[in-house]
């Protein structure tokens, strides 16, 4: 009887010990998550499951420096200072100027279009603060500010003042809606990203950009960004960078 009691006691102690070990190992389990693979090694979004999109460095260039190739200018974000003028303007023909990098890209675009049998013209490139003052004030004088704001940008608020924007036309259609329906117009819209340009104001982006569709207005942003926007199907700089837009 006594031996049996001892066996039962020893058996009971062993059972308690086993239970204790199991409970301890389970409560200690979370510690395993701080493994050499990192605390979130098995969670979604870890290095091996990252969407390639997220690897794009959106800080490569400033979006507020007026001289930056990625500067975002709209009715909510004027150039600072408002009278900014670029320092490296180059003639692109037709009496127009762009900053040198954009000018080289436009030259290539125009040459490729010509080689494909299409005639494109550089209708309006850089516009100075003073020019914009005159254009805007004469609009206000003629039609009032409300109408003027739908027709031309206020001084300091135009992409043309950066030297990165160009209005492109073709024979018989200059700075007008007809451009988007021409063969050359369709070609530029489809090809612009290969040269670093973005069709800046599209029918579906009026609320985002604050501007009506302008099938002739192209903004140079460099091929790194224009290709990224094209590949992702993102149509505006505002959406891509998370910057406010819309009306004044
Ligand atoms: Zn324009």
């Amino acid at each position: 009887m006594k031996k049996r009691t001892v066996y039962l006691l020893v058996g009971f102690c062993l059972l308690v010990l086993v239970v204790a070990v199991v409970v301890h190992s389970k409560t200690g389990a979370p510690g395993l998550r701080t493994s050499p693979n990192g605390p979130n090694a098995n969670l979604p979004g870890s290095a091996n499951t990252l969407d390639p999109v997220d690897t794009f460095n959106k800080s490569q260039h400033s979006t507020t420096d007026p001289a930056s190739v990625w500067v975002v200018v709209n009715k909510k974000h004027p150039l600072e200072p408002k009278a900014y003028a670029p320092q490296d303007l180059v003639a692109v023909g037709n009496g127009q100027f762009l900053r040198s990098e954009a000018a080289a890209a436009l030259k290539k675009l125009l040459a490729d279009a010509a080689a494909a049998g299409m005639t494109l013209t550089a209708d309006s490139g850089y516009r100075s603060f003073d020019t914009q003052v005159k254009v805007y004030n004469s609009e206000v004088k003629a039609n009032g500010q409300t109408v003027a704001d739908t027709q031309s940008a206020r001084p300091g608020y135009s992409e043309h003042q950066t030297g990165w924007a160009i209005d492109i036309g073709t024979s018989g259609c200059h700075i007008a809606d007809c451009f988007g329906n021409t063969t050359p117009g369709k070609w530029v819209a489809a090809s612009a990203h290969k040269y670093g340009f973005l069709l800046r104001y599209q029918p579906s982006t009026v609320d985002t950009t604050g501007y009506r569709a302008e099938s002739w207005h192209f903004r140079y942003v460099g091929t790194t960004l224009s290709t990224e926007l094209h590949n992702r199907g993102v149509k505006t700089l505002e959406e891509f960078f998370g910057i406010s837009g819309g009306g004044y």
Side-chain angles (χ1 to χ4, degrees), residues 60-90:
Q60 287 172 69
H61 300 283
S62 168
T63 56
T64 56
D65 179 350
S68 169
V69 71
W70 287 2
V71 66
V72 176
V73 183
N74 60 32
K75 291 173 180 177
K76 293 274 194 299
H77 301 277
L79 288 163
E80 289 292 348
K82 283 200 180 119
Y84 164 80
Q87 300 300 306
D88 60 348
L89 294 168
V90 171

Side-chain angles (χ1 to χ4, degrees), residues 124 127 160 165-167 201 214 216-218:
S124 185
R127 292 202 291 264
H160 283 280
I166 183 75
D167 294 335
Y201 308 120
E214 295 188 356
W216 58 88
H217 180 108
F218 293 84

